[in-house]
Amino acid sequence: MRLASYLQRDAGDLTGGRIPGEILLRAATEGAAVPAGFGGEVGTLAPGYQGDLICFRTDRIGFPAARYTRTPAPDLLVERADAGDVEFVTVGGEMVVRDGEVLLVDEQRIIDRMNELAEDLYKPTAEARRRRELADLMTTHIEEICRRWYRIPVDRPVSIMNTRSAPGT
């Protein structure tokens, strides 16, 4: 949701043209339920729908309180909330996260197992090692090309730059 709110803004005007948090939340819940195959089952708190709910702590999201007194709660959630702000989550009415801790699985056991598997999974092949060596050899040349570009003054907003218009042209 946060990425969607950022992508539609003009880089030169971060306050104008923004999508309200309520619309983004609705798109991510009700709007996402249908294409995900759960239309009419999830996505809203209404009779006949599953009781999925995420409760956020607002002490950090809305801090300092005087700064955010007029900011709508959905905007605060989209702009400022992260996983550390989750107080609890229910799915189908069953508590699955409490005080930020997942209740249905042993997270540490999963992390440990993933770390074990990652050693084999991410072991570089001979080809990957050779590509890394070539990249290391090319790095100084690429850095020099980039340095030349950075010396050219940019006289327009970055949001309108693309590969067809070099800085200063």
Side-chain angles (χ1 to χ4, degrees):
M1 290 182 294
R2 187 173 298 146
L3 180 60
S5 78
Y6 290 160
L7 287 176
Q8 55 79 42
R9 295 180 189 179
D10 179 13
D13 181 16
L14 296 180
T15 59
R18 60 183 299 283
I19 298 174
E22 182 178 351
I23 291 172
L24 290 166
L25 284 166
R26 190 174 305 276
T29 54
E30 269 184 271
V34 173
F38 297 106
E41 297 174 43
V42 300
T44 188
L45 290 176
Y49 283 71
Q50 292 189 32
D52 301 347
L53 178 68
I54 302 173
C55 181
F56 291 89
R57 294 179 49 155
T58 57
D59 54 342
R60 191 200 64 82
I61 298 170
F63 181 83
R67 162 73 171 84
Y68 297 105
T69 55
R70 292 192 201 152
T71 306
D75 290 350
L76 281 175
L77 285 174
V78 169
E79 298 285 333
R80 298 183 47 93
D82 61 33
D85 298 314
V86 174
E87 184 73 24
F88 68 84
V89 177
T90 65
V91 175
E94 179 184 352
M95 183 81 63
V96 296
V97 174
R98 182 182 300 121
D99 298 325
E101 182 182 335
V102 178
L103 303 176
L104 301 181
V105 296
D106 183 347
E107 282 185 281
Q108 191 57 52
R109 184 170 163 236
I110 292 171
I111 290 168
D112 292 343
R113 181 67 178 136
M114 286 177 63
N115 284 329
E116 287 175 23
L117 295 172
E119 290 181 24
D120 287 332
L121 183 63
Y122 295 107
K123 189 181 297 181
T125 63
E127 181 182 349
R129 283 193 297 275
R130 179 66 183 140
R131 288 182 183 191
R132 180 73 250 168
E133 290 170 6
L134 291 172
D136 290 341
L137 290 171
M138 294 172 51
T139 298
T140 56
H141 304 289
I142 294 168
E143 287 174 350
E144 180 53 35
I145 291 168
C146 291
R147 270 192 220 94
R148 283 185 286 187
W149 277 92
Y150 283 121
R151 286 193 289 262
I152 299 171
V154 177
D155 58 351
R156 65 187 123 185
V158 176
S159 61
I160 61 171
M161 299 291 291
N162 63 40
T163 58
R164 295 186 191 103
S165 66
T169 60

